[in-house]
Amino acid sequence: MASIVCLATFLCGAASVSFYPNTNLTDTSGNIIQAHGGTIIQDQNALASGATTWYWFGQDDSTDTDFDGFLGVPCYKSDDGMASWDYLGLALSPTAGTAISDDAVVERPKVLYNAKNDEYVMWFHLDNSDYGLAEVGVATSSSIEGPYTFLSGFSPLGHQSRDMGVYQDPDTDEAYLIFATDDNANLAIALLNDDYTNTTEVVYNFTDVYWEAPGVIKNDDTFYLIVSPQNGWTPTANIYMTASSMSGPWSDYEELAPTEAYTYLSQNAYDLTIVGSEETTFVYFGDRWNGDELFSSTYSFLPLEIDSSGTMTLHNTGGWSLDVETGAWADLSYTSITAAESSSRTTVSCTDDCSGGKAVSMTDSTTFTFTWDGSDGDKIMQVQYTYSGSDNSFLNLGVTVGGVAVAGNVLIESTIAVYTQQAPIPLTLSEGDEVVISLLNWNGDSVLIEGVDIYVE
Ligand code: GLA
């Protein structure tokens, strides 16, 4: 893959982006980005003329509590290293009388650039509302943002296809469809034809695995295939396998993060390769689903680290920055306020090794309160908590600053096992402000707040 060193910022735009995992991202018009199960790709044609442009495609779940029909595949564009996203409209629109009508299920859209035809090819999971169809759909466009023209929906090489991803090897330009098949029991890898519009042969089949949400990166000559165990719209402990060829043999799986962290409450959607002038960085792009309210699902961007022995780990952080020109990334600094710090709080011992060993046990009448003594301005507050509730249950945090409610309070999801998770809350603080965190819909389950980490935006 070519890499262009930016000689002037006007050519390449601002390059650095700060990610605060699981915040609600908005586009440049202030609307929440609806591009779940998506893909983010760099425009190689723009890169050839020195511009760094990124496009994000995904599912629009804005009206979905569960299934609510196909609303189209939105497309967003970033010229500033993924720091801001312009909404460009629908790349693929529902079309009456075709398999992508508004009663279709269209999930996990992915886009490839086919250099031979100078054409963009979109692949997606195509289904009906009871998931009985189990096909892939393919659409093409001469421009990256679309509109894409639907070609067909089909069973790849006669097999069912549910969750899927695509991967284009940057060294050979060979492209692959990775798809869950046989009622999810098996995960197959199929080589695409040289137009990228069809499959030619299954080159590997993982049997009896029940895996979903595949994504691939290549580090030196090793392929890493990331998948999630099947469990509906819910986080699971995502895993990866390695191989020196897409046709295997593939290694046994390893977990990306501690089992009980459930991939920091996310599910893989796509994995980005940032080829910078100084280093190559791999970015995990996951969904934090809320299965009961799909529209309030958020996104999780985290760095993937690979050590000298080839072990890959998802780096857990509440905030980090990435320079897409150099490929360099770093954790952002923050101020911690722990439950243990204030003698005026009623605390309990925390059930893991939280800082200071104390936490506030939240009920409908307890709060976690502190007075901010840092700088004035916009912040992201990452609430550090454990929540041992039932699988896939959500609670809302209520936050006030100086007695005024902060809008858009995030959901905190059950972690089932005890593991400190983070819930991000954007807010504006001034020195001396009292911040009060409460639970809006406590259900009797154990919720411990161990502290907050405050990042300066
Ligand atoms: C899993 C898959 C999603 C979607 C849902 C439907 O979560 O990963 O892409 O198909 O199941 O329940």
Side-chain angles (χ1 to χ4, degrees):
M1 201 183 284
S3 132
I4 293 217
V5 178
C6 286
L7 299 174
T9 47
F10 68 83
L11 262 184
C12 300
S16 190
V17 53
S18 296
F19 290 114
Y20 302 96
N22 303 318
T23 40
N24 260 329
L25 296 177
T26 48
D27 64 20
T28 49
S29 302
N31 297 314
I32 287 180
I33 290 181
Q34 284 291 336
H36 306 279
T39 187
I40 295 180
I41 61 166
Q42 189 168 15
D43 183 355
Q44 296 300 312
N45 280 334
L47 187 63
S49 54
T52 333
T53 314
W54 299 82
Y55 289 85
W56 182 353
F57 306 86
Q59 293 164 219
D60 178 354
D61 292 323
S62 56
T63 65
D64 285 12
T65 45
D66 187 3
F67 172 75
D68 216 5
F70 176 43
L71 301 175
V73 174
C75 175
Y76 298 85
K77 175 184 180 187
S78 175
D79 288 318
D80 56 6
M82 295 189 263
S84 67
W85 293 96
D86 290 326
Y87 176 58
L88 301 186
L90 294 181
L92 182 70
S93 299
T95 313
T98 74
I100 58 161
S101 71
D102 56 12
D103 345 291
V105 165
V106 171
E107 291 178 351
R108 300 188 176 274
K110 305 282 176 265
V111 173
L112 294 167
Y113 174 60
N114 184 279
K116 179 177 80 83
N117 299 335
D118 189 20
E119 185 172 64
Y120 296 87
V121 186
M122 182 183 290
W123 285 74
F124 47 90
H125 173 192
L126 175 63
D127 227 314
N128 49 18
S129 59
D130 65 4
Y131 287 88
L133 185 66
E135 291 188 344
V136 276
V138 176
T140 57
S141 172
S142 57
S143 82
I144 189 165
E145 67 258 42
Y148 285 75
T149 304
F150 178 58
L151 295 187
S152 63
F154 58 94
S155 304
L157 300 158
H159 300 289
Q160 275 186 346
S161 180
R162 298 181 189 277
D163 264 21
M164 44 63 69
V166 293
Y167 176 69
Q168 183 175 7
D169 184 336
D171 300 319
T172 62
D173 271 349
E174 280 177 332
Y176 299 85
L177 171 71
I178 306 109
F179 59 107
T181 187
D182 301 316
D183 289 330
N184 276 340
N186 303 337
L187 185 84
I189 302 176
L191 180 67
L192 302 190
N193 64 2
D194 60 7
D195 292 333
Y196 297 170
T197 53
N198 210 334
T199 44
T200 60
E201 59 172 324
V202 171
V203 296
Y204 197 84
N205 194 21
F206 297 91
T207 54
D208 207 23
V209 289
Y210 295 90
W211 290 339
E212 297 191 317
V216 179
I217 56 116
K218 187 181 187 183
N219 183 42
D220 299 328
D221 291 326
T222 303
F223 297 91
Y224 288 74
L225 168 61
I226 298 173
V227 298
S228 78
Q230 180 195 347
N231 197 18
W233 303 111
T234 188
T236 53
N238 287 206
I239 56 177
Y240 73 93
M241 286 69 63
T242 59
S244 56
S245 158
M246 285 295 285
S247 48
W250 288 88
S251 68
D252 285 344
Y253 71 79
E254 303 285 343
E255 288 182 341
L256 273 183
T259 315
E260 61 276 20
Y262 292 98
T263 327
Y264 312 114
L265 300 182
S266 70
Q267 181 189 32
N268 187 53
Y270 188 75
D271 306 290
L272 291 83
T273 302
I274 309 295
V275 182
S277 55
E278 289 169 14
E279 58 190 282
T280 294
T281 292
F282 301 108
V283 179
Y284 167 94
F285 162 35
D287 293 291
R288 175 179 269 187
W289 299 114
N290 177 357
D292 293 334
E293 295 177 0
L294 280 182
F295 58 84
S296 68
S297 303
T298 59
Y299 310 98
S300 184
F301 291 89
L302 290 168
L304 286 162
E305 295 182 291
I306 300 176
D307 71 14
S308 53
S309 67
T311 300
M312 187 158 76
T313 312
L314 193 59
H315 179 75
N316 190 18
T317 175
W320 62 291
S321 68
L322 169 69
D323 183 325
V324 298
E325 303 303 346
T326 64
W329 67 272
D331 281 325
L332 295 168
S333 59
Y334 55 86
T335 301
S336 275
I337 298 160
T338 65
E341 257 160 36
S342 166
S343 55
S344 66
R345 284 188 200 109
T346 305
T347 55
V348 296
S349 295
C350 54
T351 38
D352 57 359
D353 59 352
C354 72
S355 176
K358 296 286 179 192
V360 172
S361 178
M362 303 296 284
T363 66
D364 47 11
S365 59
T366 50
T367 60
F368 183 100
T369 303
F370 64 93
T371 302
W372 176 242
D373 65 0
S375 63
D376 296 359
D378 292 340
K379 323 283 177 199
I380 301 286
M381 177 169 75
Q382 290 280 10
V383 179
Q384 310 290 316
Y385 69 94
T386 62
Y387 171 18
S388 325
S390 55
D391 190 1
N392 225 15
S393 63
F394 286 81
L395 296 177
N396 286 78
L397 290 175
V399 178
T400 58
V401 175
V404 178
V406 172
N409 296 326
V410 289
L411 300 150
I412 58 176
E413 184 178 359
S414 164
T415 55
I416 315 166
V418 174
Y419 190 89
T420 302
Q421 303 283 2
Q422 310 191 71
I425 299 174
L427 73 189
T428 306
L429 295 178
S430 302
E431 193 180 352
D433 277 342
E434 187 187 56
V435 181
V436 180
I437 305 170
S438 59
L439 278 179
L440 296 183
N441 50 343
W442 186 58
N443 58 9
D445 289 339
S446 167
V447 179
L448 301 183
I449 293 190
E450 300 174 350
V452 297
D453 292 342
I454 299 192
Y455 294 79
V456 176
E457 272 212 271

